[in-house]
Amino acid sequence: MTKHTPLQSRIRDQLQRRFGEDLHVGDRVNEAEIADALGISRTPVRKVLWQLQNEGVVSYEQHRGFRLADATVDTLEADGERDELLDERVMRDMALGNLSSVISERALMQKYEVPHGILMSTLRRLMRDQLVEPSVGHGWIFSDVSATALENGYNFRQILEPATILADPYFIDVEAFQALDRDHANTISNIDKLDQRRLFDLDAKFHRLIALGARSTHLVDAIERQNNIRRVNEYIGFVRLDRIRESLIEHRNIIAALLRGERQVAAALMRLHLQISKDETFKHIDEDLERVRAGELQLLK
C-alpha cells in the first residue's frame, strides 16, 4: 500500500471534492486551480495526478494534460480495502473522550491493531471531515468533541450567528440561498435514504453560508471551528430523523426571511433554532453516549 504524506493527502482530498462535485468523466483537471486552492505550487499536485493515473482515476494526454477517467470517489478514499469499522471505532473513542492528546501513528496502530495503510485511510477520511489534523511532529491531533466543548460551542454560536445576520454590511447571495433551499426541500423529502455525513454536511453548509454573508474570514473560520467540534456528537444525534427534519424546516424559515430582506426576523429565528438544537442535543446526550459506549449506536451507516 502506498504511504502518502500529509500534503499529498490534502491534495487527494481536494481532488476528491472536485471529482465528486464539479467534474465529469472526460473533463480536464486544472492543476493550477487545485494548487491555488491549497496555496501550493503545481509540482506536488502533478505528482499526485501521476499517482492517480497509475490507479486509473485520471488519464494523461500529451499537450492536453490530465482528464478524469473514473468518477468513482471511493477510488481516492483508500489505498486498499476501505475499513469503515476502524472509522467507527475512532469516532466512538473521540465521542467518549478517549483521543484527547497528540497520538503517534505507531500508538494508533497498536491501539486499533491495524496496519499502517488502513490507519492512514481512516485518518484521511477524518481529515476530510476536519476531525483530525497532523501535528508538527509525527503524531495526530484529534478535535475536542466533548460535551463541554459542544455546550460552549452552542453558547458561542447563539451570540455569533444572530449577530452575523445583523452585521452591516451583510450580503444575501440570493442564488446561493435559493439553491440551498432547494437542497433542503429535496433532503426533507428523502431524509430516510441519506446517511449522517450527508445530513451533517448540509447542516454545516447552511451555517457557513450564513457566515459568508458578513464577508469576514474570521467569522467563517469561527463557524468552521464550531462545525468541527459538533460533528461527531451530532452524527450521534442524527439518528433522530424527526428532529433533523424539524431542523431543516427551521433552516428554510431562516432562508425565507433572509430572501424577504427581514434580517431581524431571520436573526430571531436563528437564535431560537440554536436554542432548540442545544436543548434537544443535551436532552439525549447521556443516553446517546451510553449507547455508543455499549456499541449499540453506529456513528456511520
Side-chain angles (χ1 to χ4, degrees), residues 40-86:
I40 59 176
S41 71
R42 294 172 63 175
T43 300
V45 175
R46 191 175 300 115
K47 183 175 181 179
V48 170
L49 286 168
W50 281 116
Q51 293 173 352
L52 295 177
Q53 182 194 235
N54 294 334
E55 297 170 22
V57 178
V58 300
S59 60
Y60 179 78
E61 300 176 29
Q62 193 169 8
H63 306 305
R64 301 186 69 180
F66 293 93
R67 294 183 180 276
L68 182 60
D70 184 350
T72 305
V73 174
D74 286 345
T75 307
L76 291 174
E77 290 192 333
D79 299 323
E81 177 183 0
R82 175 169 178 167
D83 189 350
E84 287 209 358
L85 176 60
L86 179 58

Side-chain angles (χ1 to χ4, degrees), residues 182-237:
R182 289 192 294 270
D183 287 345
H184 274 62
N186 182 62
T187 298
I188 291 169
S189 298
N190 297 279
I191 198 165
D192 296 339
K193 304 172 186 176
L194 302 177
D195 61 24
Q196 289 104 315
R197 178 175 280 130
R198 288 279 300 278
L199 293 171
F200 182 88
D201 285 347
L202 180 60
D203 181 89
K205 185 177 181 181
F206 166 79
H207 289 284
R208 187 174 190 275
L209 185 56
I210 292 291
L212 284 170
R215 294 186 168 178
S216 165
T217 56
H218 296 297
L219 282 172
V220 174
D221 289 346
I223 293 299
E224 294 280 354
R225 284 195 296 274
Q226 294 307 313
N227 282 341
N228 298 343
I229 290 171
R230 66 193 180 93
R231 187 178 290 266
V232 171
N233 280 304
E234 297 216 3
Y235 275 178
I236 297 171

Side-chain angles (χ1 to χ4, degrees), residues 80-217:
E81 177 183 0
R82 175 169 178 167
D83 189 350
E84 287 209 358
L85 176 60
L86 179 58
D87 291 24
E88 177 79 25
R89 292 169 65 195
V90 172
M91 291 179 72
R92 180 183 296 120
D93 280 340
M94 290 182 69
L96 297 175
N98 297 332
L99 293 172
S100 56
S101 61
V102 178
I103 305 177
S104 69
E105 290 177 13
R106 180 179 297 276
L108 289 167
M109 290 166 61
Q110 293 174 345
K111 176 180 178 64
Y112 295 108
E113 299 181 332
V114 294
H116 184 266
I118 289 179
L119 173 65
M120 292 306 298
S121 296
T122 285
L123 291 174
R124 279 198 299 275
R125 286 191 287 277
L126 294 178
M127 280 181 64
R128 178 191 67 191
D129 288 344
Q130 301 181 54
L131 290 171
V132 65
E133 61 181 77
S135 70
V136 176
H138 298 290
W140 292 83
I141 302 170
F142 291 83
S143 298
D144 180 2
V145 296
S146 65
T148 298
L150 187 63
E151 182 175 17
N152 289 339
Y154 268 117
N155 294 339
F156 177 60
R157 291 170 63 210
Q158 284 183 281
I159 298 170
L160 179 67
E161 295 194 53
T164 297
I165 292 172
L166 296 176
D168 287 317
Y170 187 83
F171 174 70
I172 298 173
D173 187 333
V174 173
E175 290 187 4
F177 274 113
Q178 288 176 338
L180 186 61
D181 185 62
R182 289 192 294 270
D183 287 345
H184 274 62
N186 182 62
T187 298
I188 291 169
S189 298
N190 297 279
I191 198 165
D192 296 339
K193 304 172 186 176
L194 302 177
D195 61 24
Q196 289 104 315
R197 178 175 280 130
R198 288 279 300 278
L199 293 171
F200 182 88
D201 285 347
L202 180 60
D203 181 89
K205 185 177 181 181
F206 166 79
H207 289 284
R208 187 174 190 275
L209 185 56
I210 292 291
L212 284 170
R215 294 186 168 178
S216 165
T217 56

Side-chain angles (χ1 to χ4, degrees), residues 7-49:
L7 176 58
Q8 289 172 336
S9 296
R10 285 178 60 210
I11 295 169
R12 290 172 75 96
D13 290 341
Q14 179 72 15
L15 287 165
Q16 177 184 313
R17 287 193 288 272
R18 297 290 179 98
F19 295 170
E21 298 174 2
D22 302 327
L23 296 179
H24 303 283
V25 172
D27 287 350
R28 179 173 173 270
V29 181
N30 191 315
E31 299 174 34
E33 287 185 0
I34 302 297
D36 288 345
L38 294 172
I40 59 176
S41 71
R42 294 172 63 175
T43 300
V45 175
R46 191 175 300 115
K47 183 175 181 179
V48 170
L49 286 168

